[in-house]
Amino acid sequence: MIRLLVVEDSKTVQRALVAAFEADPGIEVIATAETGEEAVEAARTLRPDLITMDINLPGMDGFDATRAIMSSWPVPIVIVTGKMNPRDSATLFRVMEAGALMVLSKPDPVGTPGYQASVDNLVRHLKLMAEIKVVRRTFPSGKVPPRTDRPVPLPPVHPVKVVAIGASTGGPPLLRQILAALPAHFPAAVVVVQHMAVGFTENFVHWLNRSSTLPVALGTDGAQLVPGQVYVAPDNCHMEVTPSGRLLLSDAPPEYGVRPSVSALFRSVAQSYGRHAMGVLLTGMGKDGALELKAIRGRGGITVAQDRESSMVFGMPGEAIEIDAAQHVLPPAAIIELLQRMTGKGGITPAS
Amino acid sequence: MLDSDALLKELLATFEQEAREHLGELSSLLLALERDPEAAERGHLLESVFRRVHTLKGAAHAVNLPDVAFACQRLEDMLADLKRGDLALGLEQFDSLHVSINDLGQRLCFGSPAAEPAAFPAEAPPPIPAPLARTAPRETPESVAPPARQATEPVAVPGAAPRPARLPEGRAVQQRHAVARPQGDETVRVSARLLEELLLQSEELVSAKLSASALHEELAAAAGELALRQGEQGRALEVARRGAKDATGREAALCALLERGCHTERQVVGRLRLLEKSAEKHLRSLQSMLDPLLEEMKKLQLLPCATLCDPFAKVVRDLSRELGKEAEFTCLGGELEIDRRILAELKEPLLHLVRNTVDHGIEPPSVREAAGKPARGSIRIEIRLQDANRAELLLEDDGGGIDVARVKGAALRLEGVSAELLERMPDHEALQLIFEGGLSTKRSVGSVSGRGVGLAIVRDALERLGGHVSVSSTPGAGTAFRLVFPLSFARIRGLLVQVGGRDCVIPATNVELSARVAHDEVKRLENRDTLLVNGELVALVSLGRILEVKRGAAGMERTVCYVLLHAGDKRIAFAVDQVLGVQEILVKPLGRQLSRVRNVAGATVLGNGRVVPVLNVADLFRSALTIEAPAVPPPSPAVPARRVSVLVAEDSITSRTLLKNILESAGYEVRTAVDGADALAQLKAESCDVVVSDIEMPRMDGFQLTAAIRADSRLAALPVILVTGLESRADRERGIDVGASAYLVKSGFDQANLIEVIQKLS
């Protein structure tokens, strides 16, 4: 039984959510809160198993509440919100930096045909999120911790033309960090699959753009890959790369239960770019992309998996490591450094 | 699976409440913003506005009202621009925001939007170029890359420039008093309906108290009655005992029975006394439990007046903008707490008065300036306690005042008042005419006022509450409306009186005193009855007449019992049959089927379960003043109401007595004669209305009597009913021959029949 705390300032929406959640026998709504302060108090006294949080709250907002909770009584927190204006993406993803696990969208209105399906989807995700063990976060500055002194091993020299990154739960803040740290003349095109609730990918792209050194855009079908450009897979489409260097969006069935999937991307990258590819598998639940990371490795590309300590959820990278798909298992700082030292001429400049 | 229909309904109910709250708050926030606060405060306020609209949008989405959500979205976008400083906050923007809020309010009332969402920008009154230019590109809220546009648009905002000079003037400032909710106390939100139900139920408990009181009284009365017989009982017991000693057999038994009877009665009296005591205790404990409970419940219903007056700031602002005037609204005394239901009743009338004031009272700025007044009119509401039970609300403006001549003219046109009366009427009294239905001094009927209905409604509402409204005005300087009303509803003290045999209740607040005077103290003055009360001459009117209650036997009383009532500053004495006492009653409205009953304000249930009307004192006064009351008839000396007299001629004592009894109990006056001759002799001496005669009588029988009566010129028309045991056709025919008016056979006789016939003939 998942003990759930619902934080939402609109009474109407609160009622709707509670009704939807309580219909599931595996969820028990133990309390509701309407302000950030109430949410923090309820988290402290009731110790729920999971919290759904709205960002838009009177007084203390969702971000501060999440921070407060994650720094004292860490609990899986999921943002459940309506569609947001892309220009307000910062607010949205800020909360993820504060420690929220993922963003989900509110269910369709009661009485509409899509209602039940949207509720089921939401509940399914909640159940998954409830499983995640979260740790107490400290927020000194949010900067990337300094890299360890262990030098990063240098792989054989092949020019990397495409960097493919796959991430799920916990991915967004890390992706932002990575993209913000890349040099302006990055020699490769970057293609990204980030598992995201439908309707928020645009917000995500917007948000990434604010800090990324490279321009970030939603991938469009047939687009020509340009080095130094970042392409993010849009909602509900697999994004693949063709040997001719174009993006291909497909509505093939979901893989590992998701679409877009990292596996489709990695597979196409392995096939189309082989040893000129680099695959990075970051934090996330499940196994999406692990096998395909191995495929990239098998074709001579560089493969990296995020290490256990820094992963929000060690599912995907863990699986990759398990099947020996990753050449390197690195913390975020090291991943960034690895990427930073890539040059157009091939290979990676030696560490100084 | 959820029952989605039930869920949706529940959600819609919640949504309605929530939306109302948000919109209310939004108006207040906007008004606060218009006061041009510091930049930090402004940012904070804008953020609050944005957040509320956002929440409302989410809620609308949840209950599947996409149009409302869409409207919120547009508002949100505009607010986002304002927040970011891409759009300057000028008067047009405020107007547009206010319009949007109003529009949202409209949509929510009607469920489906009044207009297409796409037409939303066009709904804004006088074209507002700035927001229009902004909302156009926002047709596709999904647009990904607006950053490029933002840079150019601020230039296209013309409204920004004139802002600094105008803003200080064009705002409705509202002096706010902190809503008096104690900061430290925790508060809970309860549905108003639940609160209402609880209050109703607790008020029903008053009836329990009243019945307990009635029960106690009855027990006391019963015990008292029996106690009176103590003396008799004692004697009976004595006799019984003495008799028991000497008596034998049946007498002894009788004595013994008597003795036992007395003993038992004593015991019963004792038990009754005990019952009476415990009924008293019961009553007292009920009182001690209920009174505090009811007091607390009453407090639950209290709300500060500010909740009534705060929305008026926006009303004044919107309306004055619409009419091209300028007005400032202030409210004093908003912390005063009053029964929520009374506030609810006052809302409509006050709203009407306020709108009226802006429409009629405040002059256009040019006129005001020409008159040497500031261009901005001021409308002020002040609320204060009059005494422990009543409050007074003053609505003052510094506008043009009311033209009494126009009022008189309009009243004349209405033909409600005669011209001479109008001539003689002092100005301050004539002003009150504006509350008459149908009266309007406005030359044209506008959408706001002019139909002549509104102020009458105001007066009705106030009087329904047990209060009143009056107006005073100084031409050119301003007008003031004075509303007086009770602080709380329902439980009031009432004077129970009896009028024309019927009970009714007069609210005690209107009763000054009641007394009984000798009939000759009533003087007739100027065609009215008057009384001298405490050195003052007051008019005396019969309450029975006003209530159109049939009076019983008129003029039998030697004394007049009256109650002196006051309404406003008038006093009138109303004559009643008797005053029964003061009671605490629960006034209930008459119900929807009887929305307006003359002279009756409501009804109440007495302790004994009877339903009794509660009178509307203001109506009584009005009725009293319009009736040309005839003199209260002096007691007609010893002339009883004329009854129909019957002469019964019957030789058998039994039959005679029987007939007499029957007829007397039917209300007739009966004389008897022992035979025909006696009857005739009596008739010659003094006539009667009807003769009922037997046939078989000595000396002169019925037929002969009838013939003789018909032969006498004085008695010829006298109805004669022959009642007899003779049932033969020949006899009947003989009866008709001699001129009998009716022939009844005794065997087929029953009293109803006889009386019917008598009635027909007399």
Side-chain angles (χ1 to χ4, degrees), chain B residues 327-526:
Chain B
E328 182 181 322
F329 176 81
T330 49
C331 178
L332 275 182
E335 330 72 64
L336 188 62
E337 294 202 334
I338 291 187
D339 191 317
R340 189 168 63 81
R341 292 166 294 177
I342 294 196
L343 286 179
E345 290 289 314
L346 285 174
K347 185 159 157 219
E348 276 297 314
L350 255 186
L351 181 64
H352 191 90
L353 280 178
V354 168
R355 289 172 67 96
N356 221 43
T357 304
V358 179
D359 191 16
H360 285 237
I362 305 288
E363 318 93 313
S366 48
V367 173
R368 287 182 65 90
E369 278 173 344
K373 291 199 267 196
R376 277 187 102 211
S378 114
I379 301 180
R380 197 173 78 105
I381 285 189
E382 191 183 325
I383 310 169
R384 56 162 180 252
L385 276 181
Q386 215 185 43
D387 57 40
N389 291 313
R390 304 227 276 193
E392 175 185 278
L393 184 149
L394 214 56
L395 170 63
E396 279 183 305
D397 67 75
D398 66 349
I402 301 181
D403 185 348
V404 182
R406 286 246 286 266
V407 173
K408 285 192 176 175
L412 206 56
R413 273 200 299 279
L414 257 190
E415 291 169 44
V417 201
S418 73
E420 314 90 63
L421 204 57
L422 273 177
E423 276 298 309
R424 286 190 287 144
M425 205 182 271
D427 277 357
H428 70 261
E429 221 178 282
L431 269 180
Q432 313 308 322
L433 286 173
I434 61 174
F435 293 113
E436 293 295 325
L439 194 137
S440 167
T441 57
K442 238 207 162 156
R443 300 238 149 71
S444 58
V445 171
S447 65
V448 178
S449 40
R451 290 170 211 273
V453 175
L455 290 181
I457 295 183
V458 174
R459 185 170 65 176
D460 271 349
L462 261 297
E463 283 175 1
R464 257 206 309 273
L465 284 176
H468 63 268
V469 59
S470 61
V471 63
S472 61
S473 169
T474 314
T479 313
F481 284 92
R482 195 162 152 265
L483 284 71
V484 177
F485 48 89
L487 287 176
S488 77
F489 246 163
R491 268 203 322 156
I492 62 166
R493 284 157 54 81
L495 188 68
L496 188 61
V497 300
Q498 202 176 76
V499 159
R502 312 267 290 271
D503 289 349
C504 53
V505 174
I506 303 177
T509 48
N510 297 95
V511 177
E512 263 196 42
L513 57 91
S514 74
R516 192 181 275 274
V517 289
H519 210 277
D520 35 17
E521 302 232 3
V522 179
K523 309 272 183 277
R524 197 135 176 98
L525 211 65
E526 271 184 32

Side-chain angles (χ1 to χ4, degrees), chain A residues 9-13 15-16 19-20 23 34 56-58 83 85 87-88 107 109-112 115-116 202 206, chain B residues 1-2 4 7-8 10-11 14-15 18 51 54-55 57-59 61-64 77 81 84 142 144 146 150:
Chain A
D9 69 327
S10 156
K11 270 228 153 356
T12 315
V13 177
R15 283 261 182 98
E34 275 161 50
N56 184 42
L57 296 170
K83 270 233 187 106
N85 189 320
R87 276 180 294 186
D88 295 317
V110 177
T112 53
Y115 173 69
Q116 198 52 52
E202 205 191 311
H206 215 267
Chain B
M1 266 307 164
L2 297 163
S4 28
L7 179 60
L8 191 57
E10 195 196 317
L11 289 177
T14 315
F15 175 69
E18 189 185 338
R51 200 188 51 70
H54 182 83
T55 305
K57 180 179 79 170
H61 183 75
V63 289
N64 203 19
D77 292 336
D81 289 337
R84 258 171 248 126
E142 253 69 17
V144 180
Q150 283 176 19

Side-chain angles (χ1 to χ4, degrees), chain B residues 743-758:
Chain B
Y743 195 106
L744 291 175
V745 177
K746 273 189 197 159
S747 56
F749 172 111
D750 61 80
Q751 48 193 68
N753 203 7
L754 173 61
I755 292 170
E756 230 179 85
V757 175
I758 297 181

